[in-house]
Amino acid sequence: QKEVEQDPGPLSVPEGAIVSLNCTYSNSAFQYFMWYRQYSRKGPELLMYTYSSGNKEDGRFTAQVDKSSKYISLFIRDSQPSDSATYLCGGNYGQNFVFGPGTRLSVLP
Amino acid sequence: DAMVIQNPRYQVTQFGKPVTLSCSQTLNHNVMYWYQQKSSQAPKLLFHYYDKDFNNEADTPDNFQSRRPNTSFCFLDIRSPGLGDAAMYLCATSRDGSRTDTQYFGPGTRLTVL
């Protein structure tokens, strides 16, 4: 079993839709959880990070962690074509960072 | 702006010809990482430095080596590139490797092996 799993997609939604991206993880040692956005042929860009279970909001983005079920989610409200990218979730314990394969999102105008 | 810089952005090499990829950072972070990312896959950690301490992943081939001459710079050397080494190579940094640390990535170097 991979440490971090996510549906690779692709996921296509119309502009303005609410997007839900999900990951599961298996390593209980993970203490910090991150979401990165990666545009085609570019490096990942840190979107949000969270430590505890619960929700964290930043503009149109909400990150949610449920440590009891080892589930991580990212919600995007009012999605825009510029949100079209691959979204990587990840977790870390100290210097060890582990990522999922990413979900490819297309927001159609 | 503080950032992670990778050079070159695109590198073409021949099968078996050594190649060096460069990463520099202005964040003054203690930890630097090298990842290999193939199409539609998660970044795969090759190794990382905590300051001068080198940490190699168990499944990283011997063909891959790294150097960190100072805090700001880190190099990835591929001694004899094979066709399977064609990928995006990502450099990342983190402040101190603490449990609340986060990583910052460079734009990547896309390596083509002919």
Side-chain angles (χ1 to χ4, degrees):
Chain A
Q1 181 187 13
K2 295 182 180 178
E3 286 190 280
V4 179
E5 307 219 37
Q6 62 182 129
D7 186 338
L11 176 64
S12 293
V13 300
E15 184 176 355
I18 296 174
V19 177
S20 172
L21 303 169
N22 305 298
C23 288
T24 58
Y25 66 95
S26 59
N27 192 336
S28 298
F30 285 162
Q31 296 174 321
Y32 227 58
F33 304 90
M34 300 82 68
W35 282 96
Y36 287 82
R37 177 174 60 196
Q38 187 173 23
Y39 291 113
S40 181
R41 298 181 176 268
K42 298 286 178 64
E45 167 195 10
L46 180 65
L47 261 184
M48 297 185 70
Y49 60 91
T50 183
Y51 172 64
S52 58
S53 284
N55 294 350
K56 181 177 181 180
E57 191 172 318
D58 184 1
R60 296 184 296 110
F61 298 89
T62 300
Q64 190 175 77
V65 175
D66 182 345
K67 288 187 175 180
S68 63
S69 60
K70 296 189 175 65
Y71 203 78
I72 315 165
S73 299
L74 178 72
F75 299 96
I76 308 174
R77 290 184 299 280
D78 188 24
S79 55
Q80 303 294 311
S82 58
D83 296 328
S84 298
T86 296
Y87 290 80
L88 301 165
C89 64
N92 88 313
Y93 44 103
Q95 299 168 30
N96 297 291
F97 289 79
V98 183
F99 296 93
T103 297
R104 187 173 169 190
L105 171 68
S106 292
V107 180
L108 306 174
Chain B
D1 288 340
M3 56 176 56
V4 181
I5 303 161
Q6 290 188 246
N7 286 302
R9 295 292 311 280
Y10 300 91
Q11 176 73 57
V12 180
T13 190
Q14 291 181 329
F15 182 94
K17 185 174 181 181
V19 66
T20 294
L21 309 182
S22 168
C23 177
S24 64
Q25 53 122 345
T26 60
L27 297 158
N28 203 33
H29 282 176
N30 283 329
V31 195
M32 294 187 77
Y33 306 78
W34 278 105
Y35 288 87
Q36 179 192 65
Q37 187 180 29
K38 297 188 175 180
S39 182
S40 303
Q41 295 184 21
K44 178 181 181 298
L45 182 63
L46 297 173
F47 24 60
H48 75 276
Y49 276 93
Y50 185 92
D51 197 9
K52 295 179 182 178
D53 293 333
F54 178 70
N55 298 271
N56 198 29
E57 293 300 298
D59 58 353
T60 298
D62 292 340
N63 198 24
F64 292 86
Q65 303 286 318
S66 186
R67 297 170 282 136
R68 188 179 186 186
N70 53 53
T71 301
S72 301
F73 284 87
C74 196
F75 300 97
L76 170 62
D77 300 308
I78 308 176
R79 293 192 295 187
S80 182
L83 298 179
D85 297 328
M88 173 80 91
Y89 289 87
L90 296 165
C91 175
T93 73
S94 67
R95 187 179 63 247
D96 55 15
S98 67
R99 66 177 188 172
T100 58
D101 212 357
T102 53
Q103 280 188 325
Y104 298 87
F105 283 86
T109 294
R110 182 164 293 278
L111 177 67
T112 300
V113 182
L114 301 177

PDB file of all heavy atoms in Angstrom, chain A residues 35-49:
ATOM      1  N   TRP A  35      -1.100  20.667   0.636  1.00  0.00           N
ATOM      2  CA  TRP A  35      -1.606  20.608  -0.729  1.00  0.00           C
ATOM      3  C   TRP A  35      -0.729  21.494  -1.597  1.00  0.00           C
ATOM      4  O   TRP A  35      -0.454  22.645  -1.250  1.00  0.00           O
ATOM      5  CB  TRP A  35      -3.058  21.086  -0.809  1.00  0.00           C
ATOM      6  CG  TRP A  35      -4.030  20.064  -0.340  1.00  0.00           C
ATOM      7  CD1 TRP A  35      -4.580  19.961   0.904  1.00  0.00           C
ATOM      8  CD2 TRP A  35      -4.579  18.993  -1.107  1.00  0.00           C
ATOM      9  NE1 TRP A  35      -5.428  18.892   0.961  1.00  0.00           N
ATOM     10  CE2 TRP A  35      -5.451  18.274  -0.269  1.00  0.00           C
ATOM     11  CE3 TRP A  35      -4.411  18.551  -2.433  1.00  0.00           C
ATOM     12  CZ2 TRP A  35      -6.158  17.149  -0.697  1.00  0.00           C
ATOM     13  CZ3 TRP A  35      -5.109  17.444  -2.864  1.00  0.00           C
ATOM     14  CH2 TRP A  35      -5.980  16.755  -2.005  1.00  0.00           C
ATOM     15  N   TYR A  36      -0.307  20.921  -2.724  1.00  0.00           N
ATOM     16  CA  TYR A  36       0.474  21.656  -3.699  1.00  0.00           C
ATOM     17  C   TYR A  36      -0.281  21.686  -5.014  1.00  0.00           C
ATOM     18  O   TYR A  36      -0.975  20.741  -5.381  1.00  0.00           O
ATOM     19  CB  TYR A  36       1.833  20.987  -3.941  1.00  0.00           C
ATOM     20  CG  TYR A  36       2.834  21.152  -2.813  1.00  0.00           C
ATOM     21  CD1 TYR A  36       2.797  20.336  -1.695  1.00  0.00           C
ATOM     22  CD2 TYR A  36       3.812  22.139  -2.880  1.00  0.00           C
ATOM     23  CE1 TYR A  36       3.717  20.493  -0.669  1.00  0.00           C
ATOM     24  CE2 TYR A  36       4.739  22.310  -1.865  1.00  0.00           C
ATOM     25  CZ  TYR A  36       4.680  21.467  -0.765  1.00  0.00           C
ATOM     26  OH  TYR A  36       5.594  21.628   0.248  1.00  0.00           O
ATOM     27  N   ARG A  37      -0.106  22.778  -5.735  1.00  0.00           N
ATOM     28  CA  ARG A  37      -0.655  22.905  -7.075  1.00  0.00           C
ATOM     29  C   ARG A  37       0.511  22.875  -8.051  1.00  0.00           C
ATOM     30  O   ARG A  37       1.526  23.569  -7.845  1.00  0.00           O
ATOM     31  CB  ARG A  37      -1.418  24.225  -7.204  1.00  0.00           C
ATOM     32  CG  ARG A  37      -1.993  24.511  -8.585  1.00  0.00           C
ATOM     33  CD  ARG A  37      -2.849  25.766  -8.542  1.00  0.00           C
ATOM     34  NE  ARG A  37      -2.095  26.927  -8.130  1.00  0.00           N
ATOM     35  CZ  ARG A  37      -2.663  28.066  -7.709  1.00  0.00           C
ATOM     36  NH1 ARG A  37      -3.984  28.173  -7.643  1.00  0.00           N
ATOM     37  NH2 ARG A  37      -1.902  29.097  -7.367  1.00  0.00           N
ATOM     38  N   GLN A  38       0.380  22.079  -9.083  1.00  0.00           N
ATOM     39  CA  GLN A  38       1.461  21.961 -10.069  1.00  0.00           C
ATOM     40  C   GLN A  38       0.885  22.184 -11.466  1.00  0.00           C
ATOM     41  O   GLN A  38       0.092  21.371 -11.961  1.00  0.00           O
ATOM     42  CB  GLN A  38       2.145  20.592  -9.974  1.00  0.00           C
ATOM     43  CG  GLN A  38       3.373  20.472 -10.856  1.00  0.00           C
ATOM     44  CD  GLN A  38       4.149  19.175 -10.637  1.00  0.00           C
ATOM     45  OE1 GLN A  38       3.598  18.181 -10.169  1.00  0.00           O
ATOM     46  NE2 GLN A  38       5.424  19.188 -10.972  1.00  0.00           N
ATOM     47  N   TYR A  39       1.295  23.291 -12.068  1.00  0.00           N
ATOM     48  CA  TYR A  39       0.928  23.534 -13.452  1.00  0.00           C
ATOM     49  C   TYR A  39       1.825  22.697 -14.355  1.00  0.00           C
ATOM     50  O   TYR A  39       2.929  22.301 -13.972  1.00  0.00           O
ATOM     51  CB  TYR A  39       1.047  25.021 -13.793  1.00  0.00           C
ATOM     52  CG  TYR A  39       0.018  25.888 -13.098  1.00  0.00           C
ATOM     53  CD1 TYR A  39       0.401  26.817 -12.127  1.00  0.00           C
ATOM     54  CD2 TYR A  39      -1.330  25.777 -13.417  1.00  0.00           C
ATOM     55  CE1 TYR A  39      -0.546  27.611 -11.498  1.00  0.00           C
ATOM     56  CE2 TYR A  39      -2.282  26.572 -12.787  1.00  0.00           C
ATOM     57  CZ  TYR A  39      -1.878  27.487 -11.828  1.00  0.00           C
ATOM     58  OH  TYR A  39      -2.817  28.265 -11.199  1.00  0.00           O
ATOM     59  N   SER A  40       1.342  22.472 -15.562  1.00  0.00           N
ATOM     60  CA  SER A  40       2.055  21.611 -16.494  1.00  0.00           C
ATOM     61  C   SER A  40       3.501  22.076 -16.685  1.00  0.00           C
ATOM     62  O   SER A  40       3.748  23.262 -16.918  1.00  0.00           O
ATOM     63  CB  SER A  40       1.324  21.607 -17.838  1.00  0.00           C
ATOM     64  OG  SER A  40       1.975  20.777 -18.762  1.00  0.00           O
ATOM     65  N   ARG A  41       4.429  21.161 -16.517  1.00  0.00           N
ATOM     66  CA  ARG A  41       5.865  21.411 -16.722  1.00  0.00           C
ATOM     67  C   ARG A  41       6.444  22.452 -15.775  1.00  0.00           C
ATOM     68  O   ARG A  41       7.437  23.100 -16.097  1.00  0.00           O
ATOM     69  CB  ARG A  41       6.136  21.794 -18.180  1.00  0.00           C
ATOM     70  CG  ARG A  41       5.757  20.689 -19.153  1.00  0.00           C
ATOM     71  CD  ARG A  41       6.033  21.053 -20.581  1.00  0.00           C
ATOM     72  NE  ARG A  41       5.736  19.921 -21.459  1.00  0.00           N
ATOM     73  CZ  ARG A  41       6.623  19.012 -21.816  1.00  0.00           C
ATOM     74  NH1 ARG A  41       7.869  19.106 -21.397  1.00  0.00           N
ATOM     75  NH2 ARG A  41       6.282  18.002 -22.591  1.00  0.00           N
ATOM     76  N   LYS A  42       5.833  22.604 -14.609  1.00  0.00           N
ATOM     77  CA  LYS A  42       6.357  23.514 -13.597  1.00  0.00           C
ATOM     78  C   LYS A  42       6.549  22.755 -12.287  1.00  0.00           C
ATOM     79  O   LYS A  42       6.046  21.643 -12.111  1.00  0.00           O
ATOM     80  CB  LYS A  42       5.375  24.666 -13.369  1.00  0.00           C
ATOM     81  CG  LYS A  42       5.116  25.539 -14.600  1.00  0.00           C
ATOM     82  CD  LYS A  42       6.281  26.437 -14.887  1.00  0.00           C
ATOM     83  CE  LYS A  42       6.066  27.288 -16.128  1.00  0.00           C
ATOM     84  NZ  LYS A  42       4.942  28.232 -15.975  1.00  0.00           N
ATOM     85  N   GLY A  43       7.266  23.373 -11.344  1.00  0.00           N
ATOM     86  CA  GLY A  43       7.428  22.771 -10.034  1.00  0.00           C
ATOM     87  C   GLY A  43       6.183  22.942  -9.181  1.00  0.00           C
ATOM     88  O   GLY A  43       5.380  23.846  -9.415  1.00  0.00           O
ATOM     89  N   PRO A  44       5.970  22.081  -8.194  1.00  0.00           N
ATOM     90  CA  PRO A  44       4.813  22.229  -7.290  1.00  0.00           C
ATOM     91  C   PRO A  44       4.902  23.529  -6.490  1.00  0.00           C
ATOM     92  O   PRO A  44       5.977  23.934  -6.058  1.00  0.00           O
ATOM     93  CB  PRO A  44       4.929  21.012  -6.367  1.00  0.00           C
ATOM     94  CG  PRO A  44       5.783  20.029  -7.105  1.00  0.00           C
ATOM     95  CD  PRO A  44       6.739  20.852  -7.887  1.00  0.00           C
ATOM     96  N   GLU A  45       3.747  24.110  -6.273  1.00  0.00           N
ATOM     97  CA  GLU A  45       3.636  25.373  -5.556  1.00  0.00           C
ATOM     98  C   GLU A  45       2.791  25.116  -4.311  1.00  0.00           C
ATOM     99  O   GLU A  45       1.677  24.593  -4.415  1.00  0.00           O
ATOM    100  CB  GLU A  45       2.959  26.384  -6.482  1.00  0.00           C
ATOM    101  CG  GLU A  45       2.481  27.655  -5.849  1.00  0.00           C
ATOM    102  CD  GLU A  45       1.510  28.409  -6.753  1.00  0.00           C
ATOM    103  OE1 GLU A  45       1.069  27.844  -7.773  1.00  0.00           O
ATOM    104  OE2 GLU A  45       1.189  29.558  -6.429  1.00  0.00           O
ATOM    105  N   LEU A  46       3.300  25.475  -3.140  1.00  0.00           N
ATOM    106  CA  LEU A  46       2.572  25.225  -1.905  1.00  0.00           C
ATOM    107  C   LEU A  46       1.287  26.048  -1.861  1.00  0.00           C
ATOM    108  O   LEU A  46       1.310  27.265  -1.998  1.00  0.00           O
ATOM    109  CB  LEU A  46       3.459  25.574  -0.705  1.00  0.00           C
ATOM    110  CG  LEU A  46       2.839  25.374   0.675  1.00  0.00           C
ATOM    111  CD1 LEU A  46       2.548  23.902   0.923  1.00  0.00           C
ATOM    112  CD2 LEU A  46       3.775  25.926   1.753  1.00  0.00           C
ATOM    113  N   LEU A  47       0.179  25.357  -1.680  1.00  0.00           N
ATOM    114  CA  LEU A  47      -1.137  26.023  -1.582  1.00  0.00           C
ATOM    115  C   LEU A  47      -1.546  26.224  -0.134  1.00  0.00           C
ATOM    116  O   LEU A  47      -1.859  27.327   0.289  1.00  0.00           O
ATOM    117  CB  LEU A  47      -2.199  25.153  -2.262  1.00  0.00           C
ATOM    118  CG  LEU A  47      -2.643  25.472  -3.671  1.00  0.00           C
ATOM    119  CD1 LEU A  47      -3.774  24.533  -4.065  1.00  0.00           C
ATOM    120  CD2 LEU A  47      -3.084  26.929  -3.799  1.00  0.00           C
ATOM    121  N   MET A  48      -1.578  25.129   0.598  1.00  0.00           N
ATOM    122  CA  MET A  48      -2.029  25.182   1.979  1.00  0.00           C
ATOM    123  C   MET A  48      -1.354  24.077   2.769  1.00  0.00           C
ATOM    124  O   MET A  48      -0.980  23.049   2.214  1.00  0.00           O
ATOM    125  CB  MET A  48      -3.550  24.986   2.065  1.00  0.00           C
ATOM    126  CG  MET A  48      -4.356  26.055   1.384  1.00  0.00           C
ATOM    127  SD  MET A  48      -6.113  25.825   1.653  1.00  0.00           S
ATOM    128  CE  MET A  48      -6.235  26.237   3.392  1.00  0.00           C
ATOM    129  N   TYR A  49      -1.250  24.306   4.048  1.00  0.00           N
ATOM    130  CA  TYR A  49      -0.762  23.266   4.940  1.00  0.00           C
ATOM    131  C   TYR A  49      -1.558  23.328   6.233  1.00  0.00           C
ATOM    132  O   TYR A  49      -2.053  24.380   6.648  1.00  0.00           O
ATOM    133  CB  TYR A  49       0.734  23.395   5.204  1.00  0.00           C
ATOM    134  CG  TYR A  49       1.151  24.692   5.850  1.00  0.00           C
ATOM    135  CD1 TYR A  49       1.216  24.830   7.230  1.00  0.00           C
ATOM    136  CD2 TYR A  49       1.490  25.793   5.067  1.00  0.00           C
ATOM    137  CE1 TYR A  49       1.595  26.015   7.812  1.00  0.00           C
ATOM    138  CE2 TYR A  49       1.872  26.983   5.640  1.00  0.00           C
ATOM    139  CZ  TYR A  49       1.930  27.085   7.011  1.00  0.00           C
ATOM    140  OH  TYR A  49       2.316  28.273   7.586  1.00  0.00           O
TER     141      TYR A  49
END
